[in-house]
Amino acid sequence: MTVEEFEEFYAQAVARLTGQLYVMTGDLQEAQDVVQEAFVKAWVRRGRLERDGQPEAWIRTVAWRLAVSRWRFRRRSADAWGRGSGAVEHVAPPDPDHVVLVDALRELPAQQRRTLTLHYLCDLTVEQIAAETGLSASTIKTHLVRGRAALAHRLQDPRMEEAPDV
């Protein structure tokens, strides 16, 4: 992949990948950071990315792994600070201005959220998701079924339950 081809690929894919990682992580700033870092890592591998034929999937996977690593690091750091001070840090609830769907997705387990994102936002098949995540196809199907059920429950409009039958 030449420099020009990589720049064109970046311009075409960065917004889409950032959106996908935003849904996976629930944090726009984090999504922007990990996607940028994944593109930096891809720059050195740009020749091999073209041969592999799935550069966007590679960057998405690297960005996801970076997000998980950063989350683990922050959690370990917070745990260490908590042990040192003896005080428990209060975490504020999500901003009420966030979109209802993003809030509902945040309540799902990370693997379900990632699977739903890859299937519905990235339009990947079960087999493609299995290849990208290293999970079996049956596990992917289970995550999709459970994730959809959980979202359906969380996204119910309580006003619809109260409406009288006509």
Side-chain angles (χ1 to χ4, degrees):
M1 188 178 292
T2 66
V3 172
E4 292 80 17
E5 290 170 334
F6 187 85
E7 288 174 350
E8 182 179 328
F9 167 63
Y10 174 84
Q12 177 190 28
V14 70
R16 181 174 48 253
L17 287 165
T18 301
Q20 294 165 0
L21 266 293
Y22 173 46
V23 174
M24 289 181 193
T25 63
D27 183 339
L28 180 59
Q29 183 64 47
E30 183 72 10
Q32 291 169 332
D33 289 349
V34 295
V35 168
Q36 288 300 319
E37 193 170 337
F39 268 105
V40 169
K41 291 179 182 291
W43 173 257
V44 227
R45 296 179 47 105
R46 65 186 187 276
R48 289 175 32 199
L49 283 177
E50 187 176 47
R51 283 193 307 270
D52 294 344
Q54 298 273 337
E56 194 166 324
W58 187 89
I59 290 174
R60 185 174 39 249
T61 300
V62 169
W64 170 253
R65 289 177 181 162
L66 288 167
V68 169
S69 294
R70 290 167 67 149
W71 176 80
R72 286 180 181 153
F73 174 77
R74 283 192 300 272
R75 184 167 179 199
R76 283 192 308 268
S77 297
D79 289 347
W81 280 104
R83 283 191 305 268
S85 68
V88 178
E89 182 180 330
H90 174 69
V91 178
D95 184 355
D97 293 335
H98 281 356
V99 178
V100 174
L101 178 60
V102 174
D103 287 340
L105 284 166
R106 283 183 179 155
E107 295 177 17
L108 295 178
Q111 201 56 49
Q112 283 180 11
R113 187 172 57 241
R114 182 180 184 203
T115 303
L116 287 168
T117 302
L118 290 172
H119 186 67
Y120 291 106
L121 234 60
C122 304
D123 202 28
L124 298 181
T125 65
V126 169
E127 292 75 22
Q128 290 170 321
I129 297 169
E132 187 168 320
T133 62
L135 300 172
S136 70
S138 61
T139 302
I140 297 302
K141 290 176 186 177
T142 300
H143 285 313
L144 288 171
V145 168
R146 290 180 181 168
R148 283 190 293 252
L151 281 179
H153 175 72
R154 286 178 174 90
L155 296 176
Q156 284 180 346
D157 188 349
R159 296 174 296 180
M160 295 304 290
E161 294 173 7
E162 297 173 6
D165 292 332
V166 178

